Amino acid sequence: MKPTITPHPEPNVTIVAGMQWGDEGKGKTIDYEAKDAKLVIRSTGGSNAGHTIIHNGIKYALHLLPSSIANPKVKSIIGAGVVIDPECLLKEIWRITGDSYVIKDNRLVISDRAHVILPFHKSMDKLYEELKANKVGTTGKGIGPCTADKMNRVGIRMGDLKHCTESELRAKIKELIKVPNDLFSLYGYPEWKITEEEMFVKCQKYKEILSYLIFDVQPIIAREIRKSSKIVIEGAQAFSLDIDHGDYPYVTSSNPNASGLCSAAGIGPTQVKCVIGVIKSYCSRVGEGPFPTEQPDQTPEDVGSIIRELGHEYGTTTGRPRRCGWLDLMQLRRACEVNGVTYLCVNHIDTIGLIGQKVGKLKVCYTYDEGEAKYVTFDHSGWEIPKNCTNYDELPNEAKKYIEYIERLTDVPVKYIGIGPEDKAMIVRQDV
Ligand code: IMP
Ligand code: MG
């Protein structure tokens, strides 16, 4: 007899991915999309990310916890592809709970497959940067070195903290610290030498506090997939920082594009319903690397400085002033293709209006000529978003023209429009 095969459940996974160099405002989009979701899965990166969200009037600066953590109706998952600095995680949990390490009601689950960043990974990050002729300008959070250990198959995973016996864990630590200790002494940092005991004590501490959150998350995800529950995959970093598709070598060490996010979350592509590509109305970049539309920022009157001040473009993770410039539609077109973007979310439409007013014009890059950005100039001079604006028709005509130009050149509809930092300051076009 032929077996009966249950058909695939109706896809209901939404991926939220950055299209530029990070800091596009993904946190707010995720917070919005999570309103009717069952699960939110943070899928790649680590504490190099920084999301600022304002949920019900309370501001949260998050690095590792999913942006849904403030929402009691959602289960937040830190997925297999994340590299976790437990020190950072503990701090965030402490802050979000008030003053304890207890997140109630099973609201947070951490994949036992996620890798652990240990303090020496940050020293390695520093050392590698120092040794490089072309610096990447990493966040210094140990992301690259931890990922390299993962790829070299010597990493320690969250599940190891929970399940390994003392001798198993000590053996893993011994294996892991061999090469970094050699490098530290070779390159003149003997004081950075790590001892097995020191690492073991740290791992014991993480085990005691975090074990109740660490599980195999696959059964949890599979159950919701079977019911076609809404699941949101939370991206970190962005397309141009993708290790394969970004500006190599000035990239991060993961695949923050939509397919990479899907894989790192543990979800098959047939379950994806839509990909939301998030951009700002201008561009910013922290760290080194190409930036075709970058604007000068030597004096306060320079366009780069104006964008930075009006957009508050200082890193959430490192406090570094961000490099700023005009929107780059060449970058965006490519990002939309690689990510298979269904809808765009355009943030900072309020800010770009103010930038236009201050600069006297707005520019958008529509092509490159031998690597150099070519611009279309909008001859109007910016706008202000009216108070209590809640739908697309209430936006100033110039703002609509700006948005429709993005749609025309990318061939992707703009469904979400961010008009301020709060969770409510978002226009959602229902007709798109
Ligand atoms: P890493 O991820 O710390 O190794 O840094 C590699 C590059 O990615 C550097 O240019 C960082 O500034 C950049 N980067 C990493 N995470 C983020 C982010 O969340 N927002 C913006 N830039 C990031
Ligand atoms: Mg950020």
Side-chain angles (χ1 to χ4, degrees):
M1 208 172 72
K2 242 178 135 180
T4 353
I5 294 173
T6 321
H8 266 302
E10 193 60 33
N12 201 7
V13 174
T14 296
I15 300 178
V16 180
M19 296 290 105
Q20 296 162 323
W21 288 282
D23 309 307
E24 298 94 347
K26 295 180 287 292
K28 196 166 68 122
T29 320
I30 293 152
D31 195 38
Y32 177 85
E33 279 296 316
K35 280 185 182 28
D36 56 349
K38 255 310 203 337
L39 302 179
V40 171
I41 310 171
R42 167 74 192 273
S43 149
T44 59
S47 44
N48 46 352
H51 290 160
T52 312
I53 58 163
I54 302 178
H55 185 84
N56 291 336
I58 304 170
K59 188 169 171 178
Y60 300 89
L62 305 171
H63 300 287
L64 274 168
L65 289 174
S67 301
S68 51
I69 197 73
N71 180 345
K73 291 194 214 111
V74 180
K75 191 188 277 298
S76 299
I77 295 181
I78 301 181
V82 180
V83 284
I84 300 178
D85 175 357
E87 298 289 346
C88 170
L89 182 62
L90 290 176
K91 261 191 224 147
E92 268 178 54
I93 296 179
W94 185 268
R95 231 180 289 133
I96 203 128
T97 51
D99 60 352
S100 85
Y101 291 123
V102 183
I103 294 201
K104 294 205 180 86
D105 310 323
N106 304 318
R107 258 163 69 183
L108 176 69
V109 190
I110 301 170
S111 167
D112 55 3
R113 289 165 184 259
H115 278 249
V116 181
I117 295 182
L118 288 165
F120 73 85
H121 284 123
K122 291 180 210 165
S123 316
M124 291 287 278
D125 207 345
K126 227 194 228 162
L127 179 61
Y128 277 126
E129 279 286 86
E130 238 173 67
L131 295 176
K132 269 179 195 155
N134 291 324
K135 314 229 177 289
V136 176
T138 70
T139 60
K141 301 292 175 186
I143 308 298
C146 179
T147 308
D149 283 338
K150 162 175 160 177
M151 296 309 180
N152 281 328
R153 281 135 300 166
V154 290
I156 291 180
R157 305 204 287 182
M158 293 304 281
D160 294 331
L161 298 180
K162 182 169 174 173
H163 299 299
C164 280
T165 61
E166 174 169 345
S167 65
E168 284 167 346
L169 193 57
R170 281 185 183 276
K172 280 181 192 285
I173 292 170
K174 217 181 244 162
E175 188 93 331
L176 178 62
I177 65 180
K178 257 190 235 162
V179 173
N181 273 342
D182 283 350
L183 290 180
F184 292 152
S185 70
L186 183 65
Y187 287 105
Y189 291 100
E191 69 278 15
W192 286 357
K193 187 175 180 343
I194 321 139
T195 68
E196 176 196 318
E197 186 58 24
E198 209 185 324
M199 287 306 107
F200 180 73
V201 169
K202 281 208 181 295
C203 289
Q204 278 301 105
K205 173 180 140 193
Y206 305 150
K207 171 191 180 128
E208 273 160 33
I209 308 177
L210 294 171
S211 276
Y212 81 104
L213 295 169
I214 303 169
F215 291 96
D216 176 8
V217 299
Q218 210 49 44
I220 305 172
I221 297 173
R223 191 174 343 134
E224 298 306 334
I225 295 257
R226 272 196 298 275
K227 292 192 281 189
S228 280
S229 311
K230 179 169 177 182
I231 298 176
V232 177
I233 301 182
E234 166 169 346
Q237 290 78 51
F239 170 70
S240 288
L241 294 172
D242 189 287
I243 185 96
D244 294 315
H245 301 284
D247 315 320
Y248 191 89
Y250 304 99
V251 291
T252 192
S253 43
S254 61
N255 285 113
N257 75 75
S259 331
L261 293 170
C262 207
S263 161
I267 290 179
T270 48
Q271 294 310 315
V272 177
K273 181 178 173 193
C274 98
V275 177
I276 302 174
V278 186
I279 65 165
K280 277 192 290 218
S281 306
Y282 49 88
C283 284
S284 75
R285 172 162 206 168
V286 267
E288 305 306 317
F291 186 169
T293 63
E294 182 172 16
Q295 294 300 302
D297 58 2
Q298 296 308 301
T299 74
E301 287 72 42
D302 285 337
V303 172
S305 317
I306 293 173
I307 300 177
R308 179 187 300 140
E309 289 317 307
L310 290 171
H312 310 291
E313 294 297 342
Y314 294 88
T316 335
T317 300
T318 56
R320 289 181 287 182
R322 295 180 184 140
R323 300 155 65 193
C324 292
W326 299 117
L327 180 62
D328 184 344
L329 292 180
M330 281 298 273
Q331 174 193 38
L332 184 56
R333 268 205 296 265
R334 195 180 173 97
C336 287
E337 288 163 6
V338 172
N339 285 273
V341 173
T342 322
Y343 304 115
L344 282 169
C345 168
V346 179
N347 280 323
H348 280 278
I349 274 292
D350 52 332
T351 314
I352 193 74
L354 299 177
I355 293 166
Q357 287 187 337
K358 189 102 192 242
V359 176
K361 62 181 175 230
L362 286 174
K363 288 176 146 196
V364 174
C365 163
Y366 67 94
T367 192
Y368 301 152
D369 184 4
E370 294 183 7
E372 202 181 303
K374 294 283 156 210
Y375 298 95
V376 61
T377 303
F378 288 70
D379 49 12
H380 55 69
S381 53
W383 54 79
E384 260 168 66
I385 306 291
K387 275 220 153 35
N388 304 323
C389 173
T390 52
N391 80 55
Y392 189 69
D393 297 331
E394 293 162 8
L395 283 176
N397 277 334
E398 283 74 20
K400 284 192 270 197
K401 265 191 224 157
Y402 195 83
I403 292 163
E404 283 155 25
Y405 187 70
I406 297 173
E407 286 186 319
R408 204 160 58 241
L409 265 75
T410 55
D411 240 340
V412 178
V414 173
K415 188 174 172 79
Y416 308 82
I417 297 144
I419 52 170
E422 315 79 41
D423 51 352
K424 291 184 185 70
M426 174 110 95
I427 291 173
V428 184
R429 290 161 86 186
Q430 301 303 340
D431 58 327
V432 165

